[in-house]
Amino acid sequence: MTENTTEATRDQGRAERVTHTLVRDVALPDGGGTLALVTLDNGLDHTKPSTLGPEGLAELTAALTSLQRRAAAGEIVAVAVTGKPYFLAAGADLLGVSAVTSHEQALELGRAGHDAYELLHTMGVPTFAFVNGLALGGGLEVALNCDYRTVASDAAALGLPETGLGLVPGWGGAYLVPRLVGIEKAVDVVLSRPAANKPFKPAEALEIGLVDALFEAADFLERSIDWAARVLRGEVTPARRELDPQPVWDAVVQGTRQRLDATIAASRPAPYRALDLLAGARNASRAEAFAAEDQALADLIMSDEMRASVYAFQLTSAGKKPKGAPDKSLAKPVTRVGIVGAGLMAAQIALLVSQRLGVPVVMRDLDTERVEKGLGYVRSTVEKLVGRGRMKPEVGMRIVASVSGTTEIDDLASCDVVVEAVTEVMSLKKKVFAELEGIVSEDTVLATNTSALSVTEMASDLRHPERVVGIHFFNPVAQMPLVEVVRAERTSDEALATAFAITKKLRKTAVLVADRPGFVVNRLLVLVMGKVVEAVENGTSVEVADTALAPLGFPMPTFELFDLVGPAVGLHVLTSLREDLGDRFPRSAGLEKIVADGTRVVLDRPGRGLPQPVDPAIQSVFGEALPAGTEGRAGTPVLDAAGVLDSVLTALTVEVGHMLDENVVADPSQIDLCMILGAGWGFHTGGITPYLDRTGYSERVLGRRLLPDGVANAA
C-alpha cells in the first residue's frame, strides 16, 4: 500500500481540533432575567464542523459546572446551547475515538460525555438547545440532554448515525430518544435511518418530536430566545408523551430483532447492542442506562467493526477529492450534452445531467417510439418528484423543457460532451463513435457508459481517440453515488478532467480506474455472483447458496441482486469477463437457461424491509440439490454455506491481487471505495480489502496483507 492510502492514516496521530465552549449572557425580553448562551465553536470555517473530543468535553464540563453555580446563586434563569454557523456539532471526534488503545480509555470517553451532558439535565434551571445547524451523534445528544429544543429551518441534518459507524448512541441517545418519540420511532432514529444514511430534516425532526419548535434561519436565534422566554413564563408548554406500555415496547423490540436477523444476520454487533439499549431504556434509571451505554460504547470502540467503519467514513469523505484526477483547470466548459440512446440508463443520465448541470440535454435514438419512451421517463419521474415535494415545480418545468429527443445524429453536432449509452455490444458502440466523430467538433468529449467493455478498443478506429473517456454510472443513476471514470490508453488529460468535473457537478464520487475488463465493481461483483451460481451448478441448494454470503452484510442476497441487475445483464457481463480474464469467471448453463426462458429467480418480499428469497422452483434449472460433502456434478465436493462463502472470498482475494498487479486503481483503498459506494459492500467492514485482511484471506492466498495492520482494524 502506498503512503497515501487514506487520509485517515495520516490524521490518526493529529492533535484534537478542540471545540471551545463560549459563554455570554443574554437579557431575556420583558425583564425575564438572564439566559446564559453557550456556543460550541472550534474556531474554524464552515468546511470544518465542530466535533467533541476529550479536551472539548473537559472545557464544556468546566463551563457548565460554572453555570450550575451561577444558577444556584440566582444569577441566571436558564441556559441555552447553540453552535457556530451551520453546525451545532457533528458528534464525537471519530479520528480521536479510533486512536483509543484500551477498553478503559474507551470507557472514560463515554463517561466524559455523559458527565458533561448530565450537567444540562441537573443545571437547576431550564436548559434549551438552539439547533442552528447540523447536529449528528454526540451533537444531537447535546440537544437531547436539554429540557427543550428549537431547530433552524435550514439545519442540514439531525440524526444519530452511530450504528452505521460500528458504534451506539453513547451519550444519552439510546435512553432519551425512545422517551421523547416512542419506541417505534426510536428504532427509526437509532437503527433504520443510519442504515439508510438518511438523517432527519428539521421539519421531520419536529414532526416526530425530536425538537419542540422550528424557526426560519434568518432570525433563528432571536426567535429561539423569545420562545425560551415564553416557555419560562409558562405561556408555552411543549408536549411530552407518556412511556409506551410494556407490551408495545416489547413487541417493537422483538419485531426489530427479527428484522435485524433477516437483514444483517448478526454480521455486525452495533445494531444489536443499540437494540439492547433501547430494550432496556424503558425500565432503567438514567444512571443505569448511561452506564450501559458506556459499556456498549467501550466494547464497540475496541472492535474491528468500529475501526473499519472509521476507515470507510474517512475514505468516502476523501473521495470528494479523487486520486489521480488531472488539474481541474483542464476541464472543458460544458454548455450542451448529448446522449446516444434513450433507454432506461440513458434517460436516467439525461435527467440527472439536466437537473445538476442545468444545461440542455438531447437524447438520440433510432426511432421515434424509443425517443418518446425516454422522454416519457423523464417527464413521469419529474412529476413524481414534484408530487412528493422533493422537487420544486419550477425546477421540474425547467428539466422537462431542457431535455429533448431526436432520431437525427446531426442534432448532437453542437454538444460539448456526448455520452454513449447503447447496448453493450462493441461493434455497435464503435459505430456510434464513428458516426459522432463525423459531425461533432474536434473539442467535443466522447464518453461511454460501458460497464465492462474496453474503452481503448472502442476508440481505436477514431481519428482522435484521445477525446474518448469512460464515465460508468450505476443503476439506479439518481441513487448510486459512485461513478467509475475510465482512462483508456490514449485518453487526454483534458477529456479526463472534463469527466471528473461533470461527475463532481452531478454530486457523485468519482474513482479513476484503468481500462481493464469490468473495471472494479462489475469485475468483483459479477465474480461473486458467478461463484455462487457455480456452487449451485455443482449441487449446493439454491436456498443455501443464496444466504451463504450473509456474514458479508451485502444489502441483499445473491439472487435478489441477480434479479435487480437483470439475469441477462449479469450473464452478459459474466460471459464478457470470462472471455477477457479466463476461467476464474465460471460459465453457468443454468443461468443461461434462466435467461433464455425468462424465469423469475426470486419470490415476493415477505415483509417491508425484508429481502426477497430465491424461488426454490429454480432448483430444477440447475439440477437436484445434493448433500453437502458428497461428490458434485463437477467432480468436486458439494459446498455448504461456509464452503460457498470460502469459495467466494478466495476468488475475490485472487482477483483483488490481479487488479492491484494490473494497476486498475491507485491503491487498495480505491477498490474499497468502489465496492462500498458501487456494490453496497458493508460500511462496517471498511470495504473488501480490510475484510480480507481481518479474515486472513489476503495473507493465506496472496502471502501479504493488503493494508497495514491497524489502518482499518483494532491492531
Side-chain angles (χ1 to χ4, degrees):
M1 186 190 69
T2 60
E3 64 181 13
N4 63 345
T5 295
T6 172
E7 296 296 324
T9 311
R10 289 200 300 266
D11 283 353
Q12 280 181 349
R14 65 158 173 79
E16 178 183 340
R17 290 173 180 153
V18 178
T19 293
H20 296 290
T21 303
L22 312 176
V23 182
R24 65 185 174 97
D25 287 352
V26 175
L28 293 172
D30 301 322
T34 300
L35 175 144
L37 182 62
V38 174
T39 301
L40 303 176
D41 189 345
N42 64 1
L44 302 174
D45 66 24
H46 69 280
T47 65
K48 304 288 193 304
S50 299
T51 57
L52 294 159
E55 292 183 50
L57 288 173
E59 187 172 322
L60 177 62
T61 300
L64 294 178
T65 300
S66 176
L67 290 176
Q68 194 175 49
R69 289 195 293 267
R70 292 185 65 196
E75 298 175 11
I76 55 176
V77 297
V79 172
V81 182
T82 191
K84 73 176 188 179
Y86 307 111
F87 297 99
L88 178 61
D93 179 354
L94 286 178
L95 291 180
V97 172
S98 65
V100 169
T101 57
S102 71
H103 190 275
E104 186 58 34
Q105 277 184 295
L107 203 56
E108 285 304 313
L109 184 61
R111 289 169 178 163
H114 276 131
D115 289 347
Y117 291 8
E118 181 67 8
L119 291 165
L120 294 166
H121 177 66
T122 60
M123 184 58 63
V125 294
T127 54
F128 298 81
F130 301 155
V131 184
N132 65 305
L134 180 143
L136 296 176
L140 180 59
E141 285 171 307
V142 169
L144 294 173
N145 278 275
C146 292
D147 299 319
Y148 308 102
R149 288 156 291 281
T150 67
V151 67
S153 60
D154 67 343
L158 290 80
L160 297 174
E162 286 89 347
T163 53
L165 295 169
L167 296 171
V168 294
W171 289 341
Y175 176 74
L176 297 169
V177 169
R179 292 170 169 269
L180 275 175
V181 305
I183 185 61
E184 186 171 7
K185 289 186 175 65
V187 167
D188 187 35
V189 175
V190 175
L191 293 171
S192 303
R193 292 288 185 127
N197 191 25
K198 188 180 180 183
F200 288 86
K201 297 176 181 177
E204 293 174 324
L206 177 66
E207 182 181 358
I208 71 167
L210 277 179
V211 296
D212 301 310
L214 184 153
F215 301 121
E216 290 301 316
D219 57 354
F220 170 70
L221 185 58
E222 292 82 358
R223 294 194 63 185
S224 292
I225 290 171
D226 180 68
W227 183 84
R230 292 167 60 204
V231 170
L232 293 171
R233 291 196 300 266
E235 297 172 9
V236 174
T237 303
R240 293 290 181 262
R241 61 180 292 143
E242 295 291 327
L243 279 177
D244 289 328
Q246 189 73 54
V248 171
W249 204 287
D250 293 342
V252 171
V253 169
Q254 182 181 0
T256 303
R257 198 176 301 279
Q258 290 172 346
R259 285 196 296 275
L260 287 179
D261 289 341
T263 53
I264 68 172
S267 63
R268 49 198 177 101
Y272 288 95
R273 293 297 294 269
L275 182 59
D276 290 342
L277 292 173
L278 291 174
R282 187 186 189 282
N283 299 318
S285 68
R286 190 177 176 99
E288 290 169 341
F290 288 1
E293 288 182 359
D294 290 338
Q295 288 294 335
L297 188 65
D299 290 346
L300 292 168
I301 284 175
M302 299 310 297
S303 69
D304 284 338
E305 178 194 5
M306 182 267 170
R307 307 306 171 102
S309 297
V310 171
Y311 166 81
F313 175 78
Q314 293 298 310
L315 196 59
T316 52
S317 298
K320 297 170 185 175
K321 297 179 180 178
K323 290 187 178 182
D327 191 311
K328 61 183 180 181
S329 67
L330 296 174
K332 297 179 180 297
V334 178
T335 61
R336 192 167 188 258
V337 174
I339 298 176
V340 181
L344 180 59
M345 280 297 289
Q348 290 182 81
I349 295 169
L351 173 57
L352 184 67
V353 169
S354 173
Q355 182 180 5
R356 298 278 165 80
L357 266 62
V359 300
V361 180
V362 56
M363 287 190 293
R364 184 259 180 174
D365 216 316
L366 296 176
D367 56 62
T368 302
E369 182 180 354
R370 294 179 188 179
V371 170
E372 285 302 319
K373 187 174 181 180
L375 293 174
Y377 171 86
V378 173
R379 285 193 299 269
S380 63
T381 304
V382 167
E383 288 170 0
K384 290 176 184 175
L385 292 171
V386 171
R388 295 170 184 169
R390 295 174 59 189
M391 179 181 288
K392 293 181 179 179
E394 58 269 26
V395 174
M397 291 176 62
R398 179 191 63 75
I399 291 172
V400 171
S402 68
V403 179
S404 61
T406 182
T407 58
E408 300 297 326
I409 193 77
D410 287 348
D411 290 340
L412 304 180
S414 62
C415 293
D416 305 299
V417 174
V418 180
V419 180
E420 169 278 308
V422 301
T423 306
E424 287 284 276
V425 176
M426 179 61 76
S427 59
L428 178 59
K429 291 178 181 287
K430 293 181 78 169
K431 180 181 177 183
V432 166
F433 278 150
E435 291 177 338
L436 287 170
E437 191 169 46
I439 64 163
V440 299
S441 75
E442 292 188 0
D443 291 334
T444 299
V445 172
L446 302 180
T448 172
N449 185 49
T450 182
S451 59
L453 299 178
S454 169
V455 181
T456 300
E457 182 180 349
M458 219 174 287
S460 60
D461 297 333
L462 299 180
R463 296 189 305 277
H464 296 286
E466 69 278 359
R467 69 165 74 191
V468 179
V469 62
I471 306 180
H472 177 214
F473 294 91
F474 292 81
N475 189 30
V477 172
Q479 281 76 46
M480 296 299 287
L482 178 71
V483 171
E484 291 175 326
V485 175
V486 188
R487 183 168 205 160
E489 286 182 11
R490 298 181 64 180
T491 301
S492 68
D493 283 349
E494 289 77 11
L496 200 63
T498 304
F500 277 108
I502 291 171
T503 303
K504 184 175 182 179
K505 289 181 180 178
L506 295 178
R507 302 176 197 169
K508 301 293 185 184
T509 296
V511 175
L512 178 62
V513 300
D515 186 20
R516 294 291 298 152
F519 314 127
V520 174
V521 174
N522 280 342
R523 182 165 172 174
L524 295 178
L525 199 57
V526 170
L527 177 62
V528 168
M529 294 188 286
K531 296 301 287 186
V532 169
V533 173
E534 181 182 56
V536 176
E537 294 276 9
N538 192 44
T540 302
S541 76
V542 291
E543 293 99 326
V544 168
D546 188 46
T547 58
L549 306 188
L552 300 181
F554 275 131
M556 61 189 68
T558 305
F559 282 95
E560 185 179 352
L561 178 61
F562 257 129
D563 187 65
L564 176 66
V565 171
V569 174
L571 175 62
H572 172 78
V573 178
L574 181 63
T575 302
S576 173
L577 291 174
R578 185 171 64 252
E579 291 173 353
D580 289 327
L581 298 172
D583 292 340
R584 299 195 304 273
F585 291 80
R587 180 179 179 180
S588 172
L591 182 57
E592 290 170 0
K593 181 170 174 48
I594 285 173
V595 172
D597 296 344
T599 305
R600 188 183 180 193
V601 297
V602 291
L603 301 174
D604 291 335
R605 203 174 302 281
R608 184 180 178 184
L610 297 178
Q612 292 179 266
V614 64
D615 187 344
I618 69 168
Q619 184 70 62
S620 61
V621 176
F622 296 97
E624 181 184 359
L626 303 174
T630 61
E631 184 175 329
R633 285 181 283 272
T636 56
V638 175
L639 301 176
D640 59 9
V644 174
L645 178 60
D646 176 71
S647 171
V648 167
L649 291 175
T650 300
L652 284 172
T653 309
V654 169
E655 208 59 36
V656 166
H658 283 296
M659 292 167 69
L660 294 173
D661 291 342
E662 296 166 18
N663 296 314
V664 174
V665 289
D667 56 51
S669 74
Q670 299 303 284
I671 295 178
D672 296 328
L673 185 58
C674 284
M675 294 303 285
I676 291 168
L677 298 182
W681 191 280
F683 200 85
H684 65 285
T685 68
I688 184 171
T689 68
Y691 188 87
L692 296 177
D693 281 342
R694 287 196 307 276
T695 52
Y697 279 87
S698 53
E699 289 185 277
R700 185 167 71 251
V701 176
L702 302 176
R704 68 182 191 277
R705 289 182 63 92
L706 296 165
L707 297 174
D709 194 16
V711 168
N713 64 297

